[in-house]
Each structure stands twice: as structure tokens, then as C-alpha cells.
Amino acid sequence: MQAVKNDVQIKGAFKQFGSNVVLNGIDLEVKQGELLTLLGPSGCGKTTTLNLIAGFLEADSGEVFIKEKNVTKTPPYKRDLGMVFQTYSLFPHMTVYENLSFGLKLRKVPKADQAKKISRSLELVKMLGLEHRYPRELSGGQRQRVAIARALVVEPELLLLDEPLSNLDAKLRHELRAEIKRLQKEIGVTTIFVTHDQEEALSMSDRVVVMNGGKIEQISTPTEIYNHPKTEFVFNFIGKSNSFEGKIVGVENQKISVQMADDIFPVDIDNILGEDRSCRVGDEVKLYIRPEKIKIESTSANHLHKATITQMNYLGTAWEVDVTLSGKSLQILTPAYDSSWQVGSEVYVGWSPSETMLMKK
Ligand SMILES: Nc1ncnc2c1ncn2[C@@H]1O[C@H](COP(=O)(O)OP(=O)(O)OP(=O)(O)O)[C@@H](O)[C@H]1O
Ligand SMILES: [Mg+2]
């Protein structure tokens, strides 16, 4: 079997601006043809990481490889990249056509070939026919698509997209997400996509890199990141969660029993978050459970725990039901709903040991 090649590799990158450590030991491999997302809160170092790859910035220490070539000291224009920047996109004084021909002229592509390549790129982003418009004559979404076409037209080895969908309304974001994904698979260009929107990252990526404070917390597929977060940060950053405190009262048969007030909850031993994976009876711990993993029923038939409804919100596709359980409030997201439920109703709730995450305090 042939090993999948890495198109980009970052080894041990550190970067400091004054006393602010912005990248604190980044190691990253991007496989050929994959769409990899850098996801994390504002200021965690996503754009800085892209700038290292693009060559706009040099790390204080560490190395960057593109197509297995060490490019740490190579200037940006020799790295063969297409990039859509976070802060600005098109040249305002140029038409769509001129915006796209700019990079081709720099690369001395003959005029006739330029026209062909430009048509092909505009076709890919569904913008044919608007060549002679200026950016100010386009909608926000059309501008973003032209920016993507401009990055693609030079047929780059690598595509870097820094929050290309910010400043767009929800519907357009949704459409362009799907379009970028389709386009990326169609031309097979290795792509690094930056976002701080977890839904965007989960829906688009082959793999997601979750960053926090200049470090990588986890690199995995979207389903792994969501269902098997490695750290508390990843768990909280991706999706909603309930958390509450308890004490370990038993450890046996791959299960940890945690007591919270009058209730005991089993947790799979594989679901310990964080570095400290040792667990003993008497340890104080925090339990985490996602709202959509909680079962809610009207009867005690399945040995669930007794709870009381405190609030109910209809969300269109599901109900958001808040309950109190042993004095703690829990949020539940459920598509099933009993019409007799109302604020004050007694219900029964529970979840599987495999759906609960645990972390030592
Ligand atoms: N040229 C610079 N000089 C000084 N500090 C900088 C510079 N560029 C970035 N920083 C700082 O480095 C940190 C990381 O910035 P970066 O732009 O990589 O964040 P980001 O993850 O892209 O955030 P956002 O989601 O807001 O775009 C921030 O604290 C930022 O203030
Ligand atoms: Mg940024």
C-alpha cells in the first residue's frame, strides 16, 4: 500500500510577538488532497499558523515543509499557494476579470490561456458572465466566490482559506460551505480552511485541528472530535454540554460509578478527559453530558432518574427541555415529546455510560 503523502508539515513551531507567545509548539501534517480545518477561539493562532505556511511570517523556531520540501526560508511568491485572506479580498479598482488575470500575468501565462483558465475558474464558482463587474457591483457572497476563483485560477499546489465565509448571512454561508467542499473534492487541491465556527468545521472537513492558546488540543475527524474529545476544552468548544460535580464511589468492570446527590451514574473508563487518567474511590470529579444524549421519558419503566421540568422551548426540529435532577439543572434536546409535559411535570431522565465524559477536579 502506498503511504499518503503529506503536502504540508509543520515541525515544532514557536512564535512570539513581544512577550505574547502566539504559537507554543505546533506540529501539524496535512495530507495530500484533504480539507483540513483550523478551529479555535479568536486569538488562538489560526491566522498566524496560515501565515507560517504561506511564508508571510517566519517562526522563531521550527520548520515548514510543502510537498516534502523545506520552505522555512522560502519567500511567499515561490511557495505556489492560492490564498483567500480574512481581512480583505478583491482589488476594488479592478473588474472580476482583471482580479483573476492578475496572478496569471505575474506567472507570465499567455493571454489566450489566461482567458480559458479564467472562464474555467469562474464556472467552478458559478460566476460566469460577471467578468466585467467591479467588486462594488457584486453582493457579499459573489465577492467571496470571486476571491475563491482568484485563488484557484493559478492552479495552486495548496489552497489557504482564512475565514472566507465571515460577514455573510447564515443562508449564504451554508450554500458556500457546500460549494467550497464540492469544489475542493472536484479539483482535489489540498486545502487548509480557518474558522472559529464549530458547525462549519464539522460539516466541511476531512479532519479538524482544534487550537487553543497557541497549542493544538486535538486533530481528528469531525465525528471523533465530537464524540471522543480528548480534552475538556475540545468538549466545551464543540457543541453544547451539561456539566456537574460528583464523587467516585466505585471503580470496577471498566466502569466508574459517580455519585451526585442521591443518584449514581456509571461512566465508561475510556471516557476520562485530560491528562490525569487515574481514578480512585473518593476522587472529586466533573461529569459532562451533551443535551442530545440525554433520554427523557414519562415513566420510570427504564430505571431512569427522577427529574422535574423547569422550562420548555420549541426549536422547530426538536424540543429543548430544562429539568432539575438532584438539585442540578440539565438541558436536554429531544425530538420526541409527550404532549402532557409542562413546567413542573415529573419526568425520568438518563443516559448511557458511553455518552458521559469525566474529568478529575
Ligand atoms: N503582527 C502581530 N503583532 C503582534 N501581535 C500579533 C500579530 N499578529 C497576531 N498577533 C497576536 O497573536 C495572537 C494570535 O493571532 P491570530 O491572528 O493568529 O489569531 P486567530 O486565531 O486568527 O484569531 P481570529 O479568529 O480572531 O482571526 C493574537 O493574540 C494577536 O493579537
Ligand atoms: Mg484570524
Side-chain angles (χ1 to χ4, degrees):
M1 203 176 79
Q2 209 182 346
V4 177
K5 283 193 186 146
N6 287 320
D7 267 3
V8 179
Q9 197 172 8
I10 300 179
K11 286 188 189 170
F14 283 85
K15 181 74 192 173
Q16 210 164 329
F17 289 113
S19 61
N20 186 12
V21 178
V22 172
L23 298 183
N24 196 358
I26 296 288
D27 289 290
L28 181 63
E29 291 176 353
V30 190
K31 294 179 198 144
Q32 204 171 53
E34 89 173 322
L35 195 161
L36 182 104
T37 303
L38 304 182
L39 172 70
S42 185
C44 72
K46 305 180 294 293
T47 297
T48 306
T49 305
L50 271 202
N51 282 334
L52 275 193
I53 298 169
F56 297 123
L57 210 67
E58 204 182 309
D60 300 333
S61 62
E63 292 177 311
V64 180
F65 296 79
I66 296 179
K67 304 258 173 197
E68 293 170 358
K69 204 175 105 208
N70 190 332
V71 296
T72 311
K73 301 279 179 194
T74 308
Y77 66 93
K78 289 192 176 163
R79 293 195 185 192
D80 201 10
L81 309 164
M83 185 151 179
V84 175
F85 294 92
Q86 180 174 14
T87 40
Y88 69 92
S89 47
L90 301 174
F91 305 123
H93 58 291
M94 293 183 190
T95 62
V96 167
Y97 192 92
E98 288 162 348
N99 262 282
L100 265 70
S101 65
F102 184 82
L104 297 173
K105 278 187 198 150
L106 278 183
R107 286 169 170 80
K108 304 205 170 23
V109 174
K111 271 234 161 90
D113 289 347
Q114 283 188 24
K116 265 187 237 155
K117 286 178 193 286
I118 290 171
S119 296
R120 164 92 180 121
S121 284
L122 289 175
E123 191 185 350
L124 278 171
V125 298
K126 303 204 174 96
M127 287 294 292
L128 266 183
L130 300 179
E131 290 83 342
H132 303 296
R133 295 255 189 110
Y134 283 90
R136 64 173 181 275
E137 299 167 330
L138 299 172
S139 74
Q142 288 172 328
R143 262 180 250 158
Q144 300 273 22
R145 277 190 276 170
V146 175
I148 292 165
R150 191 181 59 178
L152 287 174
V153 77
V154 297
E155 292 163 25
E157 299 266 13
L158 190 63
L159 188 59
L160 306 179
L161 304 172
D162 196 353
E163 309 220 19
L165 307 182
S166 51
N167 310 320
L168 296 181
D169 68 53
K171 187 164 174 284
L172 202 51
R173 276 180 90 107
H174 220 264
E175 275 173 28
L176 279 182
R177 250 186 227 169
E179 226 162 277
I180 290 175
K181 197 170 152 183
R182 172 188 61 78
L183 204 61
Q184 195 268 339
K185 289 294 166 237
E186 196 173 316
I187 56 181
V189 62
T190 306
T191 302
I192 306 178
F193 185 97
V194 168
T195 182
H196 57 250
D197 181 329
Q198 46 113 355
E199 195 185 299
E200 202 160 282
L202 294 178
S203 69
M204 292 181 68
S205 323
D206 295 311
R207 288 190 306 154
V208 180
V209 179
V210 182
M211 294 180 68
N212 178 29
K215 284 189 164 173
I216 292 176
E217 296 263 337
Q218 187 169 359
I219 308 179
S220 288
T221 59
T223 47
E224 271 292 304
I225 291 269
Y226 191 81
N227 294 313
H228 301 285
K230 271 202 187 137
T231 66
E232 185 185 18
F233 177 84
V234 175
F235 191 83
N236 284 321
F237 193 72
I238 310 274
K240 283 187 176 176
S241 70
N242 294 290
S243 71
F244 39 87
E245 291 167 8
K247 195 182 226 174
I248 296 181
V249 292
V251 183
E252 54 186 7
N253 297 334
Q254 301 298 306
K255 295 268 186 294
I256 300 170
S257 299
V258 177
Q259 178 153 26
M260 185 187 86
D262 298 332
D263 293 284
I264 291 181
F265 298 95
V267 182
D268 276 0
I269 211 150
D270 291 336
N271 290 359
I272 303 172
L273 296 173
E275 311 263 295
D276 185 357
R277 302 181 60 82
S278 68
C279 273
R280 278 180 215 90
V281 170
D283 286 347
E284 303 275 348
V285 294
K286 246 170 131 175
L287 287 186
Y288 301 90
I289 176 84
R290 297 214 190 270
E292 75 277 12
K293 307 286 190 191
I294 304 179
K295 283 179 281 213
I296 171 165
E297 295 177 2
S298 298
T299 71
S300 62
N302 292 317
H303 308 290
L304 301 179
H305 305 271
K306 197 191 280 184
T308 309
I309 294 180
T310 55
Q311 202 177 331
M312 292 180 33
N313 296 314
Y314 181 54
L315 304 179
T317 51
W319 283 86
E320 196 177 67
V321 183
D322 294 349
V323 303
T324 52
L325 168 68
S326 292
K328 310 273 179 190
S329 50
L330 274 184
Q331 193 171 76
I332 302 168
L333 200 61
T334 174
Y337 153 79
D338 185 325
S339 60
S340 71
W341 292 345
Q342 50 185 302
V343 171
S345 294
E346 210 162 72
V347 287
Y348 292 84
V349 303
W351 52 84
S352 145
S354 63
E355 309 280 22
T356 318
M357 302 284 157
L358 176 149
M359 178 140 164
K360 266 175 85 166
K361 277 176 44 187

